[in-house]
Amino acid sequence: MTVCAVGLLATRANAEDELPAPDTQGDVPADRATPEVAPDEPRVPDAQPDADARPAKHKKDKKDKKDKKDKKDKKDKKAKQAKTKQKQKLDVGGRVFVRNALVKLEGADHAALQSTLQSARTGAEYRSHGLRAGLSLELAGKARVKDAFVQLRLHDEGTKIDVRAGQFKMPFSAIELTSIWTLPLADRGVIHDVLAKRLQVAGRAVGAMLVIEWAWPWHTALRAGVFQGRDDADELLTGGAGDGFGQDGVVRLTVEPAHGFELGVSGSTRAGRLLVLPIEIRRSYAGELDAHVDVPVGPCRLRAWLEAIAGTSWLVGGTNSAHVHAKFLETRALVGLRIGGAHKRDRYVELYGFAGVLDPDANFTDDRVVELTGGASYGTRAWRVQLEGELWRVGDQAPNGIVELTVPPIDSTTVLLQVGAHI
């Protein structure tokens, strides 16, 4: 067996030695072989792809990029237009109050029923890029301008600074500054008439005001203005430098230490003139503290306004001609408890009470003006119906015309039904 195996291996080795060498040219695949070129025929270089013959995919990508850019440009344009539209805004509105009142005056044999158009107010306000302009007219009775002002924002980054000029409310007293539609009362009452028309510490006047709102946690705001003084007949004062040119100065600072809670302090120096001899301009002063609360209490909402005012005035009591300046004190409190009305169209019921006392002259004891009011209202933010009772008492020693010029003080009791609408 061993001899046979050795012989077989030797035979295979001799056979392998007799195999021819491989042809390297024949082993190259046909697709990789170098083509033969005739000696007299020049070699033609490989053709380059035509630039206009790009694949369809590249053309589609270019079109998609252009479409995306067009869509982005349109979106940016719409956003810019929306932003511009938001900065430019014109609001037109108004309100109407119609009242039926049963009034019993002191000394009268019976009560009188009075139906009146209490208020018909219309107005418009325009805002555009830091510019604000407002105009409102009262059309009930004799038509007259209530507000007409222009306001310009001087600084808008962080701390906001505005300047306003025209006719508007002086920054004094939270009750006076709050719209009567926001207050639960049917009207501001008799003490308001004394403060605004006779003592002239509140209400509207022609002037200019600076407003600064700091970007602080307590939302601190300062309002300071100079306003034109008036006399008893509501005529503009024309005083010289010694009388401060008949101008009033008013300043107010407010803070919000908690949500729904605002504290305010105000001060004023005023020029006025009584239409009695000697007719001369006199200057008086006043200071005020107030608080406003608007917070939820269980299923209800508590709303309250509290204030206290102390100052001097030219409206004096008695017949002593040497007594030309009086010290006055005033305090008011308004509390309302509202159920419902969380959203614009939701209906609500609100019970409210108001009490106020004004002592026009500290030299007298029986000259106080006392006001008590209670009522209930039902409605939405667009309309309301309210039933209210009012009790006004004026002391016998109160200055003549304490409530209204040339009108003697008189007590009254009123029950009224008022319907109002707000647009």
Side-chain angles (χ1 to χ4, degrees):
M1 292 292 295
T2 301
V3 175
C4 293
V6 172
L8 180 60
L9 289 174
T11 305
R12 289 184 178 177
N14 294 334
E16 292 177 1
D17 292 340
E18 294 177 357
L19 290 175
D23 185 1
T24 56
Q25 294 295 329
D27 292 340
V28 178
D31 58 346
R32 294 177 55 188
T34 302
E36 294 183 0
V37 181
D40 298 334
E41 184 179 347
R43 184 185 182 99
V44 180
D46 296 338
Q48 298 296 326
D50 189 357
D52 296 333
R54 293 179 180 177
K57 180 180 179 182
H58 292 280
K59 293 184 178 181
K60 185 176 182 299
D61 292 344
K62 186 177 180 180
K63 184 177 182 301
D64 291 344
K65 288 181 180 180
K66 186 177 181 302
D67 292 342
K68 288 181 179 180
K69 185 177 181 303
D70 291 342
K71 288 181 180 179
K72 185 178 182 301
D73 292 343
K74 289 181 180 179
K75 185 177 180 181
D76 293 342
K77 185 178 180 180
K78 288 183 178 179
K80 186 176 181 180
Q81 291 176 347
K83 189 175 182 180
T84 302
K85 185 177 180 181
Q86 185 178 7
K87 288 185 177 181
Q88 294 182 349
K89 186 177 181 182
L90 177 63
D91 293 326
V92 179
R95 71 162 189 251
V96 175
F97 286 124
V98 180
R99 175 184 298 184
N100 282 333
L102 192 63
V103 183
K104 174 69 167 62
L105 300 178
E106 180 187 20
D109 295 334
H110 56 273
L113 182 62
Q114 302 173 354
S115 298
T116 59
L117 178 62
Q118 193 68 14
S119 177
R121 187 78 55 87
T122 183
E125 187 170 300
Y126 174 72
R127 299 171 185 262
S128 175
H129 303 280
L131 175 66
R132 179 182 172 191
L135 174 66
S136 65
L137 306 173
E138 178 58 60
L139 304 179
K142 182 180 178 181
R144 56 199 182 278
V145 175
K146 299 298 287 185
D147 293 296
F149 65 87
V150 175
Q151 181 170 314
L152 181 63
R153 173 146 294 179
L154 304 180
H155 191 272
D156 198 25
E157 298 295 332
T159 298
K160 295 178 174 59
I161 302 177
D162 297 271
V163 62
R164 174 184 290 196
Q167 177 169 297
F168 49 92
K169 289 183 179 180
M170 295 183 289
F172 196 95
S173 168
I175 294 178
E176 298 297 328
L177 291 172
T178 304
S179 168
I180 190 60
W181 186 261
T182 302
L183 295 174
L185 295 168
D187 56 53
R188 288 190 175 84
V190 64
I191 293 181
H192 156 77
D193 292 339
V194 178
L195 292 175
K197 297 179 181 179
R198 309 298 291 128
L199 300 180
Q200 300 176 8
V201 299
R204 291 175 170 84
V206 177
M209 180 175 66
L210 177 68
V211 181
I212 304 177
E213 298 177 354
W214 285 278
W216 296 346
W218 281 19
H219 304 287
T220 306
L222 175 69
R223 291 168 173 81
V226 178
F227 301 88
Q228 176 64 55
R230 297 175 179 269
D231 63 13
D232 264 6
D234 202 30
E235 298 293 334
L236 301 181
L237 294 178
T238 56
D243 298 319
F245 298 102
Q247 301 295 304
D248 299 345
V250 186
V251 61
R252 176 173 174 80
L253 180 69
T254 58
V255 295
E256 296 181 21
H259 181 69
F261 182 61
E262 181 184 83
L263 295 174
V265 55
S266 306
S268 71
T269 171
R270 315 179 317 283
R273 181 174 58 198
L274 291 176
L275 298 182
V276 295
L277 296 176
I279 299 178
E280 61 183 23
I281 295 177
R282 296 186 173 91
R283 185 156 293 277
S284 297
Y285 307 89
E288 182 257 2
L289 292 172
D290 62 61
H292 170 49
V293 179
D294 189 346
V295 295
V297 179
C300 308
R301 191 160 196 90
L302 175 66
R303 306 195 303 150
W305 291 261
L306 310 171
E307 76 173 22
I309 303 176
T312 61
S313 81
W314 47 82
L315 194 63
V316 299
T319 58
N320 185 2
S321 59
H323 182 44
V324 295
H325 264 93
K327 296 179 180 178
F328 76 90
L329 296 172
E330 181 265 5
T331 182
R332 287 184 290 179
L334 170 61
V335 179
L337 192 63
R338 176 177 290 189
I339 304 174
H343 300 92
K344 185 175 181 180
R345 297 183 180 180
D346 291 351
R347 301 190 180 190
Y348 68 83
V349 175
E350 185 168 23
L351 304 178
Y352 58 90
F354 172 83
V357 179
L358 170 68
D359 184 1
D361 193 337
N363 290 340
F364 299 88
T365 56
D366 189 20
D367 64 341
R368 294 181 179 85
V369 179
V370 179
E371 181 177 6
L372 298 174
T373 301
S377 59
Y378 170 73
T380 69
R381 297 184 189 180
W383 61 269
R384 73 186 185 195
V385 180
Q386 53 195 135
L387 180 65
E388 183 176 292
E390 301 175 348
L391 181 67
W392 296 355
R393 294 292 181 265
V394 183
D396 295 335
Q397 293 182 307
N400 189 30
I402 180 66
V403 176
E404 188 174 349
L405 183 63
T406 71
V407 177
I410 190 169
D411 297 343
S412 66
T413 303
T414 303
V415 177
L416 62 88
L417 178 67
Q418 181 168 285
V419 179
H422 184 273
I423 303 174

